[in-house]
Amino acid sequence: MLVVLRALEREDLTAMHKWQNDEEIMRLARSFPDHVISKEALEAEFARELKGEDTGRRAYIIEEKSTHTPVGWATIRIHQFQRRTTTADVGLAVGEKTAWNKGYGTETAKLLLNEVFRQLNLHRAEWWTFAENNLSVQLAKKLGFKEEARLRDAVFFDNRYHDLVVLGLLKQEFESIRAASETFRDKTTVSYLQSP
């Protein structure tokens, strides 16, 4: 494993403040590249998570396993507008640009999905991004998400409107993909062990 997810701590807000005020990172993270935030506002946004009081959102720091260095953040937002909780949005951002293109995003997304489906036992996960965010859309599809909706002209930046894409993954799809992956890995190991 390359990364681990750990709880957000107050001292992480310094790195998060830097990341969330970087237009390039925020373009990929939240579809709001022109968004800027003060450290005080950031602390207010995450106050309930820091105190352990928010049961509807889980905030994590993505930490490089070998160095214990924070490289980004991730969230799970549990839909609580229904009587029965069945769905969560997953999101992540690798904030340290030196950590881009190293597989950290893929591994983080898999950890989030494991949390959603195995720990929280929810029925579906959702992934929202703007339509031109090809890296995000490709990662979601690689993990088994399917495009379910397109919200036309739903966000505005770069002096124009952009569509939002909503992708979904059901628990049984997640389990099927995971089982197929484990079977492939087992067969690869067996054939490797049997070769001369």
Side-chain angles (χ1 to χ4, degrees), residues 151-167:
L151 308 177
R152 297 175 301 141
D153 289 352
V155 293
F156 185 84
F157 60 87
D158 293 343
N159 205 30
R160 68 185 182 96
Y161 289 97
H162 302 264
D163 293 354
L164 273 180
V165 176
V166 182
L167 300 108

Side-chain angles (χ1 to χ4, degrees), residues 75-76 87-92 105-106 108-114 116-117 123-129 136-149 165-171 173-174 177:
T75 58
I76 296 173
T87 304
D89 294 336
V90 295
L92 66 103
T106 301
T108 299
K110 288 178 180 179
L111 291 169
L112 290 172
L113 292 175
N114 196 55
V116 166
F117 294 123
H123 180 65
R124 59 180 275 117
E126 291 180 357
W127 186 292
W128 293 63
T129 190
S136 183
V137 172
Q138 288 171 4
L139 175 56
K141 288 182 176 181
K142 174 177 149 182
L143 296 169
F145 282 83
K146 294 176 176 44
E147 185 173 328
E148 296 179 339
V165 176
V166 182
L167 300 108
L169 178 68
L170 302 178
K171 183 175 185 174
E173 294 167 338
F174 167 79
I177 292 165

Side-chain angles (χ1 to χ4, degrees), residues 49-157:
E49 285 91 344
L50 289 167
K51 293 177 184 175
E53 296 174 350
D54 193 343
T55 57
R57 179 168 79 166
R58 294 176 179 213
Y60 304 96
I61 287 295
I62 306 167
E63 196 173 81
E64 197 173 55
K65 189 172 182 179
S66 62
T67 64
H68 304 290
T69 303
V71 294
W73 77 97
T75 58
I76 296 173
R77 289 183 176 90
I78 301 166
H79 292 199
Q80 295 185 320
F81 49 80
Q82 300 171 341
R83 185 176 286 244
R84 177 178 290 181
T85 304
T86 61
T87 304
D89 294 336
V90 295
L92 66 103
V94 177
E96 288 300 323
K97 294 176 184 177
T98 57
W100 287 6
N101 300 313
K102 293 185 176 180
Y104 293 176
T106 301
E107 197 165 287
T108 299
K110 288 178 180 179
L111 291 169
L112 290 172
L113 292 175
N114 196 55
E115 181 75 10
V116 166
F117 294 123
R118 293 274 170 102
Q119 297 300 317
L120 298 172
N121 196 28
L122 297 179
H123 180 65
R124 59 180 275 117
E126 291 180 357
W127 186 292
W128 293 63
T129 190
F130 69 99
E132 296 91 350
N133 189 347
N134 293 325
L135 290 174
S136 183
V137 172
Q138 288 171 4
L139 175 56
K141 288 182 176 181
K142 174 177 149 182
L143 296 169
F145 282 83
K146 294 176 176 44
E147 185 173 328
E148 296 179 339
R150 184 173 290 255
L151 308 177
R152 297 175 301 141
D153 289 352
V155 293
F156 185 84
F157 60 87

